[in-house]
Amino acid sequence: MHERGTGASSAVGREEWRQALVTLGCQLAAVGPRRHEDWLVDAAAVLQFRTRDPRGWLTDAHTGWPERTRHSPYYPFDRLDPQRLDRDLELLTHEAAVELTALYWAAAPYGATRPASDPVQRRRLWSAARTLLARFGPTRSTPPTPRT
């Protein structure tokens, strides 16, 4: 998971942020407010689509999607235990989160044709990844306390 920054968010605006989603080819996104002391509870809520965008930048488009299984439209996150996330996730620096976000979309998911070797496209993807993650604020200057 990307580290939660401290202080105010970057000055990224709604349209710039939404354009970054388009540039990355992201068809489904979810965000949510930080409500609990334990960030894992909030992260699980986002993964299960139990949150709404606190800024109203995203519609709840996922509610109209067909079920992913007979049992849950939120599969595989429907039975997600927030405490399990602690074992399965690693905290990232801001730059690592940007790099991984851009690399994921550069890999051309869903059969799209986006050659990662094209330098112009790579710059666009990296710029979009920075814009997307800028909404969540600056990185911390000190690492979080490790969980036990």
PDB file of all heavy atoms in Angstrom, residues 25-40:
ATOM      1  N   GLY A  25      -5.558   4.062 -18.359  1.00  0.00           N
ATOM      2  CA  GLY A  25      -6.462   3.020 -18.839  1.00  0.00           C
ATOM      3  C   GLY A  25      -7.248   2.367 -17.722  1.00  0.00           C
ATOM      4  O   GLY A  25      -7.797   1.279 -17.886  1.00  0.00           O
ATOM      5  N   CYS A  26      -7.333   3.030 -16.598  1.00  0.00           N
ATOM      6  CA  CYS A  26      -8.004   2.476 -15.427  1.00  0.00           C
ATOM      7  C   CYS A  26      -9.516   2.610 -15.588  1.00  0.00           C
ATOM      8  O   CYS A  26     -10.047   3.711 -15.667  1.00  0.00           O
ATOM      9  CB  CYS A  26      -7.531   3.221 -14.180  1.00  0.00           C
ATOM     10  SG  CYS A  26      -8.206   2.561 -12.671  1.00  0.00           S
ATOM     11  N   GLN A  27     -10.205   1.486 -15.649  1.00  0.00           N
ATOM     12  CA  GLN A  27     -11.650   1.490 -15.836  1.00  0.00           C
ATOM     13  C   GLN A  27     -12.429   1.463 -14.530  1.00  0.00           C
ATOM     14  O   GLN A  27     -13.613   1.740 -14.514  1.00  0.00           O
ATOM     15  CB  GLN A  27     -12.054   0.300 -16.692  1.00  0.00           C
ATOM     16  CG  GLN A  27     -11.456   0.348 -18.065  1.00  0.00           C
ATOM     17  CD  GLN A  27     -11.830  -0.873 -18.872  1.00  0.00           C
ATOM     18  OE1 GLN A  27     -12.764  -1.593 -18.550  1.00  0.00           O
ATOM     19  NE2 GLN A  27     -11.090  -1.120 -19.936  1.00  0.00           N
ATOM     20  N   LEU A  28     -11.788   1.105 -13.472  1.00  0.00           N
ATOM     21  CA  LEU A  28     -12.459   1.013 -12.180  1.00  0.00           C
ATOM     22  C   LEU A  28     -11.503   1.494 -11.099  1.00  0.00           C
ATOM     23  O   LEU A  28     -10.367   1.031 -11.030  1.00  0.00           O
ATOM     24  CB  LEU A  28     -12.875  -0.439 -11.898  1.00  0.00           C
ATOM     25  CG  LEU A  28     -13.599  -0.688 -10.584  1.00  0.00           C
ATOM     26  CD1 LEU A  28     -14.947   0.030 -10.563  1.00  0.00           C
ATOM     27  CD2 LEU A  28     -13.802  -2.183 -10.386  1.00  0.00           C
ATOM     28  N   ALA A  29     -11.951   2.424 -10.304  1.00  0.00           N
ATOM     29  CA  ALA A  29     -11.125   2.947  -9.217  1.00  0.00           C
ATOM     30  C   ALA A  29     -12.000   3.179  -7.999  1.00  0.00           C
ATOM     31  O   ALA A  29     -13.205   3.407  -8.124  1.00  0.00           O
ATOM     32  CB  ALA A  29     -10.461   4.259  -9.637  1.00  0.00           C
ATOM     33  N   ALA A  30     -11.401   3.105  -6.849  1.00  0.00           N
ATOM     34  CA  ALA A  30     -12.116   3.377  -5.603  1.00  0.00           C
ATOM     35  C   ALA A  30     -11.172   4.073  -4.635  1.00  0.00           C
ATOM     36  O   ALA A  30      -9.985   3.776  -4.592  1.00  0.00           O
ATOM     37  CB  ALA A  30     -12.638   2.077  -4.989  1.00  0.00           C
ATOM     38  N   VAL A  31     -11.710   5.005  -3.899  1.00  0.00           N
ATOM     39  CA  VAL A  31     -10.982   5.685  -2.832  1.00  0.00           C
ATOM     40  C   VAL A  31     -11.946   5.832  -1.671  1.00  0.00           C
ATOM     41  O   VAL A  31     -13.152   5.644  -1.821  1.00  0.00           O
ATOM     42  CB  VAL A  31     -10.449   7.078  -3.265  1.00  0.00           C
ATOM     43  CG1 VAL A  31      -9.437   6.958  -4.382  1.00  0.00           C
ATOM     44  CG2 VAL A  31     -11.580   7.996  -3.650  1.00  0.00           C
ATOM     45  N   GLY A  32     -11.416   6.172  -0.529  1.00  0.00           N
ATOM     46  CA  GLY A  32     -12.281   6.373   0.625  1.00  0.00           C
ATOM     47  C   GLY A  32     -11.599   7.209   1.672  1.00  0.00           C
ATOM     48  O   GLY A  32     -10.384   7.404   1.634  1.00  0.00           O
ATOM     49  N   PRO A  33     -12.372   7.694   2.616  1.00  0.00           N
ATOM     50  CA  PRO A  33     -11.796   8.528   3.673  1.00  0.00           C
ATOM     51  C   PRO A  33     -11.044   7.696   4.697  1.00  0.00           C
ATOM     52  O   PRO A  33     -11.269   6.500   4.839  1.00  0.00           O
ATOM     53  CB  PRO A  33     -13.036   9.160   4.312  1.00  0.00           C
ATOM     54  CG  PRO A  33     -14.103   8.133   4.114  1.00  0.00           C
ATOM     55  CD  PRO A  33     -13.809   7.510   2.770  1.00  0.00           C
ATOM     56  N   ARG A  34     -10.166   8.349   5.406  1.00  0.00           N
ATOM     57  CA  ARG A  34      -9.458   7.716   6.516  1.00  0.00           C
ATOM     58  C   ARG A  34     -10.318   7.940   7.754  1.00  0.00           C
ATOM     59  O   ARG A  34     -10.480   9.062   8.209  1.00  0.00           O
ATOM     60  CB  ARG A  34      -8.074   8.348   6.659  1.00  0.00           C
ATOM     61  CG  ARG A  34      -7.260   7.811   7.810  1.00  0.00           C
ATOM     62  CD  ARG A  34      -6.771   6.385   7.483  1.00  0.00           C
ATOM     63  NE  ARG A  34      -6.110   5.803   8.603  1.00  0.00           N
ATOM     64  CZ  ARG A  34      -4.796   5.809   8.805  1.00  0.00           C
ATOM     65  NH1 ARG A  34      -3.997   6.352   7.914  1.00  0.00           N
ATOM     66  NH2 ARG A  34      -4.286   5.245   9.860  1.00  0.00           N
ATOM     67  N   ARG A  35     -10.927   6.879   8.270  1.00  0.00           N
ATOM     68  CA  ARG A  35     -11.837   6.992   9.414  1.00  0.00           C
ATOM     69  C   ARG A  35     -11.363   6.272  10.659  1.00  0.00           C
ATOM     70  O   ARG A  35     -11.835   6.544  11.745  1.00  0.00           O
ATOM     71  CB  ARG A  35     -13.207   6.444   9.032  1.00  0.00           C
ATOM     72  CG  ARG A  35     -13.900   7.286   8.001  1.00  0.00           C
ATOM     73  CD  ARG A  35     -15.357   6.923   7.906  1.00  0.00           C
ATOM     74  NE  ARG A  35     -16.033   7.890   7.071  1.00  0.00           N
ATOM     75  CZ  ARG A  35     -16.892   7.589   6.134  1.00  0.00           C
ATOM     76  NH1 ARG A  35     -17.220   6.340   5.924  1.00  0.00           N
ATOM     77  NH2 ARG A  35     -17.453   8.530   5.420  1.00  0.00           N
ATOM     78  N   HIS A  36     -10.479   5.309  10.498  1.00  0.00           N
ATOM     79  CA  HIS A  36     -10.065   4.474  11.623  1.00  0.00           C
ATOM     80  C   HIS A  36      -8.597   4.687  11.952  1.00  0.00           C
ATOM     81  O   HIS A  36      -7.791   4.984  11.070  1.00  0.00           O
ATOM     82  CB  HIS A  36     -10.304   2.998  11.296  1.00  0.00           C
ATOM     83  CG  HIS A  36     -11.734   2.693  11.006  1.00  0.00           C
ATOM     84  ND1 HIS A  36     -12.256   2.781   9.743  1.00  0.00           N
ATOM     85  CD2 HIS A  36     -12.742   2.315  11.818  1.00  0.00           C
ATOM     86  CE1 HIS A  36     -13.549   2.465   9.789  1.00  0.00           C
ATOM     87  NE2 HIS A  36     -13.866   2.181  11.037  1.00  0.00           N
ATOM     88  N   GLU A  37      -8.257   4.499  13.188  1.00  0.00           N
ATOM     89  CA  GLU A  37      -6.860   4.572  13.603  1.00  0.00           C
ATOM     90  C   GLU A  37      -6.040   3.521  12.856  1.00  0.00           C
ATOM     91  O   GLU A  37      -4.924   3.765  12.427  1.00  0.00           O
ATOM     92  CB  GLU A  37      -6.745   4.358  15.119  1.00  0.00           C
ATOM     93  CG  GLU A  37      -5.341   4.473  15.643  1.00  0.00           C
ATOM     94  CD  GLU A  37      -4.746   5.866  15.490  1.00  0.00           C
ATOM     95  OE1 GLU A  37      -5.497   6.851  15.510  1.00  0.00           O
ATOM     96  OE2 GLU A  37      -3.515   5.954  15.327  1.00  0.00           O
ATOM     97  N   ASP A  38      -6.627   2.348  12.685  1.00  0.00           N
ATOM     98  CA  ASP A  38      -5.970   1.251  11.971  1.00  0.00           C
ATOM     99  C   ASP A  38      -6.261   1.395  10.480  1.00  0.00           C
ATOM    100  O   ASP A  38      -7.380   1.142  10.026  1.00  0.00           O
ATOM    101  CB  ASP A  38      -6.479  -0.088  12.500  1.00  0.00           C
ATOM    102  CG  ASP A  38      -5.754  -1.272  11.902  1.00  0.00           C
ATOM    103  OD1 ASP A  38      -4.944  -1.088  10.969  1.00  0.00           O
ATOM    104  OD2 ASP A  38      -6.000  -2.390  12.367  1.00  0.00           O
ATOM    105  N   TRP A  39      -5.270   1.801   9.699  1.00  0.00           N
ATOM    106  CA  TRP A  39      -5.463   2.034   8.266  1.00  0.00           C
ATOM    107  C   TRP A  39      -5.893   0.789   7.518  1.00  0.00           C
ATOM    108  O   TRP A  39      -6.486   0.864   6.442  1.00  0.00           O
ATOM    109  CB  TRP A  39      -4.203   2.627   7.639  1.00  0.00           C
ATOM    110  CG  TRP A  39      -3.026   1.689   7.602  1.00  0.00           C
ATOM    111  CD1 TRP A  39      -2.099   1.509   8.569  1.00  0.00           C
ATOM    112  CD2 TRP A  39      -2.686   0.792   6.550  1.00  0.00           C
ATOM    113  NE1 TRP A  39      -1.185   0.552   8.190  1.00  0.00           N
ATOM    114  CE2 TRP A  39      -1.525   0.095   6.950  1.00  0.00           C
ATOM    115  CE3 TRP A  39      -3.235   0.504   5.300  1.00  0.00           C
ATOM    116  CZ2 TRP A  39      -0.914  -0.864   6.149  1.00  0.00           C
ATOM    117  CZ3 TRP A  39      -2.623  -0.450   4.510  1.00  0.00           C
ATOM    118  CH2 TRP A  39      -1.477  -1.116   4.931  1.00  0.00           C
ATOM    119  N   LEU A  40      -5.646  -0.386   8.081  1.00  0.00           N
ATOM    120  CA  LEU A  40      -6.035  -1.631   7.412  1.00  0.00           C
ATOM    121  C   LEU A  40      -7.546  -1.739   7.267  1.00  0.00           C
ATOM    122  O   LEU A  40      -8.053  -2.276   6.274  1.00  0.00           O
ATOM    123  CB  LEU A  40      -5.494  -2.833   8.186  1.00  0.00           C
ATOM    124  CG  LEU A  40      -3.971  -2.943   8.238  1.00  0.00           C
ATOM    125  CD1 LEU A  40      -3.544  -3.985   9.258  1.00  0.00           C
ATOM    126  CD2 LEU A  40      -3.417  -3.254   6.868  1.00  0.00           C
TER     127      LEU A  40
END
